[in-house]
Amino acid sequence: MAQLVTIFGGSGFVGRYVARRLAQQGYRVRVAVRRPNEAGFVRTYGVVGQVEPVLCNIRDDASVQAAVAGADAVVNCVGILAETGKNRFEAVQAAGAERVARAAAAAGITRMVQISALGADANSPSEYARTKAAGEAAVLAHVPGAVILRPSIIFGNEDGFFNRFAGMMGPILPVVGANTKFQPVYVDDVAAAAVKAVNGDAPAGIYELGGPDVRTFRELMQDTLAVIHRRKLILNVPFFAASIMGGVLDMVQGLTLGLFTNGVLTKDQVQNLKSDNVVSEGAAGFEAFGIVPTNYHAVLPSYLWKFRPSGQYDAIKASAKNLRG
């Protein structure tokens, strides 16, 4: 019988790509998610019964234990960019990762992949980065043979970065930390690395994953505007102003008891934007998996076209302007 891999957060942005690749390699895949009724699409990644979503809350011991029962390997893709309700950084990225690793170890599972993030640092001023580091430490404590993947900003069809900024309305595009550097990495490349780790094709340890290009936030926005054929003023928002804005929005979310969700800008995100998000010199990365990372210029047009003035017809209209009457 084919080996079984449990993917926590397997219907999310990164998880779905991992699930698809594992299914293509013949694994049985258990997709552990909070809302399995909304994750039915993952079944199409394999033959009937090969990929199945199951109910699991990473904050609950019993459901995590049930999700890893009988599995041969585990991949944890769960993470949050902002806190809402009971989904706090500590509960999800630190305690949640520890819970998955502890359950995996108790079940005798020695192959585990933890999707972390570049910038994970126990001493960071950002709680996001601190809890990512705490999650890594907990995973390695319970499963010493685990593989930790630290990707830079991830791009792909369902991403929340390029899609978000491409979809902003108005003549001004505000950015916080215009000079902060990123190393965009393609989601399917991250998934490929995760699957190779499950296969045992790379030794245990921490790997920093970045694409072939290092760009500032401003340059990424310039490239985005070029792809969607729009002209806007890119306005750099000073960190002090952004911190005030994020603090106010966080306060409003707290005062409304979650009725308002701060999906605009949090104070913790401002802290993150103060540091470059690039691969450390000498760090192990894609080369250890035999993967050549994809250039973001080659992928962005395939999904950002919908933000062009005339969408899919933009190129046709531009060509028509050259026709003579």
Side-chain angles (χ1 to χ4, degrees):
M1 184 178 291
Q3 291 191 338
L4 172 64
V5 181
T6 296
I7 309 177
F8 290 88
S11 65
F13 176 38
V14 177
R16 65 184 65 187
Y17 285 83
V18 178
R20 182 186 292 116
R21 279 187 169 270
L22 285 171
Q24 289 172 346
Q25 291 201 11
Y27 286 98
R28 289 182 296 131
V29 183
R30 179 183 292 156
V31 175
V33 293
R34 286 188 300 157
R35 300 182 181 90
N37 58 308
E38 297 177 6
F41 63 89
V42 300
R43 292 191 176 96
T44 63
Y45 296 162
V47 298
V48 176
Q50 185 182 4
V51 183
E52 285 294 331
V54 299
L55 175 65
C56 178
N57 187 331
I58 201 172
R59 304 192 312 270
D60 178 71
D61 282 335
S63 66
V64 170
Q65 291 165 6
V68 303
D72 297 285
V74 168
V75 181
N76 182 27
C77 299
V78 179
I80 56 175
L81 294 174
E83 297 180 320
T84 56
K86 294 181 179 179
N87 288 321
R88 319 304 293 178
F89 287 130
E90 176 63 31
V92 174
Q93 298 184 162
E98 190 274 337
R99 183 171 291 108
V100 170
R102 175 162 36 88
I109 298 171
T110 58
R111 283 181 292 160
M112 179 172 177
V113 181
Q114 170 75 9
I115 306 297
S116 185
L118 271 185
D121 182 357
N123 298 313
S124 173
S126 162
E127 189 175 3
Y128 170 86
R130 290 197 305 273
T131 52
K132 280 290 187 181
E136 291 180 358
V139 167
L140 292 174
H142 289 285
V143 187
V147 170
I148 308 291
L149 301 181
R150 291 178 174 177
S152 182
I153 191 77
I154 303 177
F155 68 90
N157 189 57
E158 305 89 354
D159 74 49
F161 183 76
F162 288 104
N163 277 301
R164 175 183 180 182
F165 287 99
M168 284 187 173
M169 306 297 290
I172 297 176
L173 186 61
V175 297
V176 179
N179 296 318
T180 299
K181 295 178 181 178
F182 294 90
Q183 201 166 345
V185 58
Y186 185 38
V187 61
D188 201 38
D189 290 342
V190 176
V195 173
K196 283 182 176 288
V198 169
N199 291 339
D201 295 336
I206 297 175
Y207 297 85
E208 298 191 357
L209 307 181
D213 302 296
V214 175
R215 293 287 187 270
T216 64
F217 201 161
R218 179 183 295 277
E219 289 170 334
L220 290 177
M221 293 302 97
Q222 290 171 337
D223 292 338
T224 298
L225 292 174
V227 169
I228 65 175
H229 304 163
R230 294 183 184 274
R231 298 180 64 181
K232 296 185 181 184
L233 172 65
I234 299 175
L235 177 65
N236 181 33
V237 180
F239 285 121
F240 78 89
S243 293
I244 295 172
M245 183 187 308
V248 170
L249 291 171
D250 286 344
M251 185 183 301
V252 172
Q253 176 173 298
L255 292 174
T256 60
L257 302 178
L259 292 177
F260 165 79
T261 299
N262 182 9
V264 180
L265 179 70
T266 70
K267 197 169 183 178
D268 197 75
Q269 288 170 347
V270 176
Q271 288 292 345
N272 264 320
L273 288 167
K274 291 180 180 180
S275 301
D276 290 337
N277 197 252
V278 298
V279 171
S280 305
E281 185 176 352
F286 277 122
E287 69 284 347
F289 299 94
I291 297 172
V292 178
T294 305
N295 187 303
Y296 73 95
H297 292 285
V299 179
L300 292 189
S302 70
Y303 65 95
L304 292 187
W305 57 264
K306 56 184 175 287
F307 297 107
R308 292 171 179 169
S310 299
Q312 61 184 317
Y313 303 108
D314 215 49
I316 296 176
K317 289 185 66 176
S319 177
K321 291 180 180 178
N322 297 321
L323 298 177
R324 295 183 178 180

